[in-house]
Amino acid sequence: MFDIRRFDGVIYGADYNPEQWPREVWPEDVRLMGEAGVNLVSLGIFSWALLERAEGEFTFEWLDEVMDLLHAGGVDVNLATATASPPPWFSLKYPDSRPVTVDGVRLEVGGRQLYCPSHPALREGVARLTRAVATRYAGHPALKLWHINNEYGCHIDQCYCEHCARRFRAWLEARYVTIDALNDAWGTAFWSQRYTDWAEIQPPRRAPTYANPTQQLDWRRFSSDNILELHTLERGILTEITPDVPATTNFLGFLPGLDYFRWAQEEDVVSLDAYPDPGQPDSHLEAGMVFDLTRSLGGGNRWILMEQATSAVNWRTRNAPKAPGQMRMLNHLALAKGASGIMFFQWRASKAGAEKFHSGLVQHVGTERSRVWREVTAFGAELKTLTPLLDARVPARVAVMFDWHNWWALNIDSKPGVIPLLPLLGRWYAALRTLGQNVDFVAPGGDLGGYDVVVLPNLYLMDDTTGADLRAFTERGGHLIAGYFTGVVDGQEHIHLGGYGGPLRDVLGLWVEEWDVLLPGQTNTATLNGAQVTVTDWCDVLHLDGAEAVATYDGRYYAGQAAVTRHASGQGQAWYVGTELPADALRDVLRGVLDGAGVPHTLLPAHADLSASALPDGTQLLHVLNAHPHETLTLTVPSGGTLFPDGGDAGTRIGLPPYGVTLIHYPYAVQISDVQVSGT
Ligand SMILES: [Zn+2]
């Protein structure tokens, strides 16, 4: 069990890359870390080339010195296994350890993450380095956490080489046992694809046209599992040598390649790298959705924001800085959503290399004349007053079901239309947040017991087990709402015949005959609560079988038929949204679902963010943030609250300036419906 108390209060720190700087800078770094309130640094993430300059020959003296300096300065270490990027000598000595793209191109030396996850020498090298680092520092007093590898799958989430092809075949044989079972699962009767031997099976490399869809889906599953094997190889060595030191690897939120619900089972604590675009007006929603996912991956436990930028990044077409106050506001958002640590990439902005324009705590200008430095030191001091947050939990009555397998299946080519899942998910999430809801994410098979409402934004791939779980959820009194193109295929990506909606047809009280995919610019309208709303992108043609219409289409050949429905199912209700509604209309439908489920809600301006967290003594904290650069907010809150952490009566009306943050502590659980927030 991971215990956050092994750290000195709320974690505050950064990736520290002393190898980029002369030795004389290191003591100054440690002194400045003290000034900023830094208590943990991630060290050695890209140090393989310095630690192992020739195969099996290790040079640790420089790292010894840094570890000792940090410890003497009161800074703990999140020590990397340093396996993130093999040195050039390795990639040149083992040329077939370099990954291969879908087009058969073997990638070259000069970037990072240049490795095939299956290559025997790579796996040996990773194990050798991990064992050497762990053995060297097992007893070092600065070591508090292991940082395994770095951003697995960030650049290379699939390698199409022969080593991977062999492992893919073995993975398939374990899954299907017989080649006939594979042929059935892949539907190889189509297009003359029948296999007669395992050896004939290839990764879905570039083909004349669409590769077999189930081959593509299984390839995605294999690729996530295969990289996870590399991770558990390191994890096992660390557990063997330092059983008492927790380990983590830094996740990337909604990363397409890795099924993090599976991966999170291997982590002592879940950690996240998050880089929302601070130039976008909804960056707080983008960040919040990833933070909520991260907490959910860890089963609701607190997590670590391992990397973010103090200001700008370097890899977008245009890289907006974080405006004064914006970094603090986003850090508070992470804390409100369960973070127990606020860390950055990187301590000192690089002088050279690909990320030299990525902001750091110590900017190129130095510290004394730096706005960013003033903000990071002020926040470091503020964090020391926020230690009680480490005991808070983030209770949610609403869960959004998210499934990497569904995401992979949706992204496979040859569909009725391209459905970009993340923007769609973002619209549902934004509507729920506007209604003041804490939101969890849950995977199929996850525990739904604690939720009143479960949202299925677009669960195209749904097996019968998930359908049965959702049926049981509504029978117990749960309220369900599904978006269009849900329940269309099973886990093998085969159609559920007899009307779309498959395993949920009886729960929803309807079936879907077909869909009208609208072209760009094309619209239809629907009547919802007596008002006409414009709908776009997609219109399911629904037939009711027990459900009642909440909205009906006005135009096209299915005019008068249901667009949004509601159905009593067991003790609960099941709703269906068969089209792409405008944001206000989606929010109104969700409000109806919350009302039916007895879940209190409010209505927030787009730039307001409200979260509620629960402390162990039954008291509650409201976290209210203003994400707008110019406009103010006014909060109307119940009496009895005190300002946190300073104390003092919070009153019932509070003004919140641009990028302002207010935490209010209540001796009881406040109803969100009693909190009103208005914009200027
Ligand atoms: Zn490979």
Side-chain angles (χ1 to χ4, degrees):
M1 185 66 188
F2 178 75
D3 183 7
I4 191 64
R5 304 285 167 195
R6 67 188 282 109
F7 302 96
D8 178 21
V10 183
I11 293 168
Y12 193 50
D15 281 18
Y16 181 38
N17 298 300
E19 62 269 49
Q20 297 178 18
W21 299 95
R23 197 178 236 101
E24 304 77 69
V25 175
W26 301 349
E28 175 69 358
D29 281 337
V30 176
R31 186 188 70 76
L32 289 172
M33 286 173 192
E35 198 175 311
V38 164
N39 55 21
L40 184 77
V41 293
S42 304
L43 181 65
I45 292 173
F46 290 100
S47 296
W48 190 344
L50 278 187
L51 291 176
E52 190 182 17
R53 298 185 189 202
E55 192 159 15
E57 294 174 22
F58 293 102
T59 307
F60 282 116
E61 288 69 21
W62 69 272
L63 190 56
D64 295 348
E65 190 178 335
V66 176
M67 289 285 286
D68 293 346
L69 269 173
L70 288 165
H71 181 60
V75 179
D76 290 332
V77 175
N78 171 33
L79 186 59
T81 53
T83 55
S85 276
W89 65 256
F90 181 94
S91 307
L92 295 168
K93 180 171 183 180
Y94 301 103
D96 62 337
S97 74
R98 289 162 18 215
V100 173
T101 68
V102 66
D103 290 302
V105 175
R106 196 176 286 285
L107 299 177
E108 292 295 335
V109 174
R112 69 173 201 176
Q113 206 172 73
L114 184 77
Y115 61 81
C116 158
S118 303
H119 195 274
L122 182 279
R123 291 193 174 204
E124 276 171 35
V126 160
R128 183 174 63 236
L129 181 59
T130 301
R131 186 169 290 282
V133 172
T135 304
R136 182 84 175 188
Y137 298 106
H140 199 286
L143 174 66
K144 283 290 163 64
L145 181 65
W146 285 115
H147 185 293
I148 299 177
N149 198 280
N150 181 67
E151 297 181 345
Y152 282 107
C154 173
H155 310 297
I156 304 297
D157 60 4
Q158 302 158 84
C159 170
Y160 293 79
C161 82
E162 267 310 306
H163 295 288
C164 290
R166 275 195 293 277
R167 294 186 70 86
F168 183 42
R169 290 176 201 121
W171 184 93
L172 290 167
E173 204 167 343
R175 183 178 178 88
Y176 293 112
V177 184
T178 69
I179 197 77
D180 284 346
L182 176 136
N183 279 305
D184 289 345
W186 286 16
T188 56
F190 191 72
W191 278 358
S192 183
Q193 291 176 347
R194 185 164 190 84
Y195 295 97
T196 58
D197 190 279
W198 296 104
E200 296 164 4
I201 294 168
Q202 306 295 323
R205 298 181 175 119
R206 184 75 64 208
T209 182
Y210 310 125
N212 178 293
T214 315
Q215 177 193 16
Q216 295 189 55
L217 180 57
D218 275 347
W219 172 252
R220 279 295 198 172
R221 289 167 167 151
F222 157 76
S223 295
S224 177
D225 285 357
N226 193 39
I227 301 174
L228 181 58
E229 229 179 81
L230 192 61
H231 176 61
T232 54
L233 170 70
E234 289 198 33
R235 173 73 238 219
I237 294 167
L238 297 174
T239 304
E240 175 199 326
I241 298 173
T242 55
D244 298 327
V245 180
T248 188
T249 189
N250 44 348
F251 288 172
L252 287 162
F254 292 94
L255 182 75
L258 307 183
D259 175 5
Y260 281 147
F261 278 109
R262 170 70 192 88
W263 275 66
Q265 297 167 21
E266 306 294 335
E267 308 304 305
D268 290 316
V269 57
V270 174
S271 58
L272 171 75
D273 295 359
Y275 294 97
D277 185 346
Q280 297 295 331
D282 59 355
S283 67
H284 63 294
L285 284 171
E286 184 187 351
M289 192 161 92
V290 174
F291 296 162
D292 280 331
L293 173 73
T294 304
R295 182 188 65 255
S296 304
L297 291 171
N301 293 312
R302 296 197 77 90
W303 51 278
I304 300 172
L305 179 54
M306 187 66 78
E307 283 187 29
Q308 56 165 332
T310 58
S311 187
V313 299
N314 61 288
W315 39 264
R316 292 193 174 94
T317 310
R318 293 184 182 223
N319 298 293
K322 286 181 179 167
Q326 194 176 10
M327 177 193 66
R328 172 176 180 262
M329 185 273 294
L330 288 168
N331 288 346
H332 269 283
L333 181 65
L335 293 167
K337 292 177 173 302
S340 55
I342 301 292
M343 301 180 76
F344 301 90
F345 176 86
Q346 59 181 332
W347 166 251
R348 198 178 268 277
S350 298
K351 186 179 177 186
E355 295 192 87
K356 57 184 171 294
F357 290 113
H358 190 296
S359 55
L361 284 81
V362 180
Q363 296 277 62
H364 293 146
V365 71
T367 56
E368 285 171 14
R369 295 182 293 168
S370 164
R371 165 184 75 85
V372 165
W373 180 252
R374 285 194 293 277
E375 291 192 40
V376 296
T377 52
F379 190 73
E382 182 181 355
L383 261 189
K384 294 193 188 310
T385 68
L386 301 178
T387 310
L389 291 182
L390 295 176
D391 294 320
R393 293 186 69 83
V394 186
R397 297 180 67 176
V398 179
V400 173
M401 191 167 275
F402 183 80
D403 180 20
W404 260 268
H405 299 248
N406 174 57
W407 196 12
W408 293 329
L410 269 175
N411 281 342
I412 295 169
D413 39 34
S414 61
K415 291 286 189 304
V418 173
I419 295 184
L421 183 59
L422 286 192
L424 190 144
L425 190 66
R427 289 194 284 276
W428 287 86
Y429 179 82
L432 289 166
R433 293 294 297 146
T434 302
L435 293 166
Q437 299 304 305
N438 284 353
V439 176
D440 280 351
F441 289 89
V442 62
D447 182 6
L448 304 179
Y451 302 110
D452 297 285
V453 174
V454 170
V455 181
L456 316 176
N458 188 295
L459 207 60
Y460 158 75
L461 180 149
M462 186 188 298
D463 60 22
D464 289 336
T465 307
T466 304
D469 289 348
L470 292 167
R471 182 177 300 106
F473 171 71
T474 58
E475 281 171 358
R476 291 196 301 270
H479 291 241
L480 180 76
I481 179 165
Y484 56 87
F485 207 47
T486 283
V488 177
V489 298
D490 63 17
Q492 297 181 337
E493 232 243 348
H494 296 196
I495 301 287
H496 290 293
L497 298 176
Y500 304 115
L504 281 187
R505 283 194 300 251
D506 59 330
V507 178
L508 296 168
L510 57 81
W511 52 280
V512 180
E513 182 182 1
E514 58 179 330
W515 31 71
D516 180 18
V517 178
L518 303 181
L519 302 181
Q522 219 173 19
T523 60
N524 195 352
T525 61
T527 300
L528 172 70
N529 300 328
Q532 203 170 57
V533 297
T534 301
V535 302
T536 56
D537 299 293
W538 190 288
C539 298
D540 274 338
V541 180
L542 306 177
H543 296 275
L544 304 185
D545 187 11
E548 59 173 307
V550 173
T552 51
Y553 293 112
D554 299 321
R556 300 176 74 86
Y557 64 91
Y558 41 90
Q561 287 179 243
V564 179
T565 65
R566 179 173 54 201
H567 182 232
S569 175
Q571 302 294 308
Q573 285 198 337
W575 296 61
Y576 190 77
V577 179
T579 187
E580 188 62 46
L581 294 172
D584 289 359
L586 181 62
R587 188 194 62 216
D588 290 347
V589 170
L590 280 166
R591 184 156 37 200
V593 177
L594 296 173
D595 283 338
V599 178
H601 51 80
T602 184
L603 183 60
L604 303 173
H607 57 283
D609 195 282
L610 169 66
S611 303
S613 55
L615 291 162
D617 59 1
T619 64
Q620 193 183 55
L621 273 172
L622 290 183
H623 309 245
V624 192
L625 282 60
N626 182 358
H628 203 282
H630 314 303
E631 295 186 3
T632 59
L633 289 174
T634 303
L635 281 59
T636 307
V637 294
S639 59
T642 51
L643 293 169
F644 179 87
D646 301 334
D649 184 4
T652 55
R653 267 180 90 77
I654 301 171
L656 207 51
Y659 294 136
V661 173
T662 290
L663 278 74
I664 312 169
H665 187 208
Y666 282 93
Y668 58 92
V670 174
Q671 295 278 28
I672 288 299
S673 49
D674 293 335
V675 178
Q676 272 88 48
V677 185
S678 55
T680 44

